[in-house]
Amino acid sequence: MVRRRFLFLPREMNDVKPQRNLQSIIDRITNSQPQYTKERFKPLTDNLRLLCFNRDPRIRKGIIKKSTNLFSRWFTVDSPLDGVDVPDNIEQKITSWNKAEQLKKKLTQHYINQLVFGRAYLELSTVEVIGEHGEGLEKPFKTVNDTLHVYNVDPRVIQLNTVRNKEAQSVNRYQKPLPDVDYFVMRDGKKQMLVHPSRILMTSEWTAGDSTPVGVIDVAYNLIESAVNSDRSLGEILYRFGHPFPVSIIKDASDEELDAVQTAFGKIGSSTGFVGDDRYTFNLLNPSAVNPKEFAEYFYIGLACALNMPVMVLLGVQKGAVTGSEIDLSDYYNDLHSIQETLFTPMLNTIYKTLLGSWEYEIYWNPIYVNEESESKIRKTNMEAL
């Protein structure tokens, strides 16, 4: 009896169950509801969000790129009155404090946290050492001798809870919470602390209804998962299709002959030859590998949508003359300016009111992007001024 071997078939054909008739399939489709109507959205865990950010280079690049773009041109603190200059002592105080606190770096990290976790936190503190908390965190924030520090808080260790009166004592029995205040609960190792809301500056991504804010990774998770799987498969694809695929057909082959050929296939090298009589047929197939470029472009388009940025910004493609792509680029920077004003201007107002006291000021964000013609005029004007 001739024995047949199949490399890819997991079972014999007679084991395949007969397919349902066409009418039963049509009835099942027409009587069922769309799959997504039965699903409930479940946010990812924070650790999974962090894993995606650290593991996938595309989403990591996009998040860091957007965060650095947001603060690339920084801002100016100026008087709201025309013709009134900022006093020298105030200007020097702002400049030195921004530099000492590394405010640009901390705000950039803050927005990275927001894009990854959906929410981000800055802590106002009078303590200079990171990780050490002063006493009275349950009380409203007040500066001591004009001392003000800001720190990024890991979103995984803090949450806003309605913790009041007797419930607060169960969180930390050494603290004395004020009545009718919604405190933040911060974990420091195994210890929990109540933090007054005036000490925490929080921003979050947009939400629909009363849903929990989620970051970019939640929105793009299916794409990220597919992209990571594609990366893992790419090496196997190159190995499989990077060299010819040997096939041997033996007429009336015995078990010993099949075993011998299979063993020989496992030892094929650059100097391997094949010997047999007229019952043997040997071929080398050259299958064409799947080009991953189209799949990569699909991933980039999806990730760019989740990040709300043009694909050319995500990929780092240089722009040329005024084209439709430049219009997209202008819209992107307009969106960034909107984020600056809606999320970070209120945050900075809180910081500088604490730092500067009653002095009246306005925060002006420097333009992130102007077109090439305008930039050339600006350079020309600066040169003429010299």
Side-chain angles (χ1 to χ4, degrees), residues 241-271:
F241 298 104
H243 53 79
F245 185 76
V247 176
S248 178
I249 300 175
I250 307 174
K251 184 178 180 181
D252 298 328
S254 64
D255 290 346
E256 291 75 12
E257 288 175 314
L258 292 174
D259 291 335
V261 172
Q262 187 170 357
T263 301
F265 280 175
K267 299 179 180 180
I268 289 179
S270 59
S271 59

Side-chain angles (χ1 to χ4, degrees), residues 23 132 143 163 351 359 372:
Q23 186 59 46
E132 293 187 6
T143 59
V163 181
I351 292 174
W359 183 73
E372 292 179 351

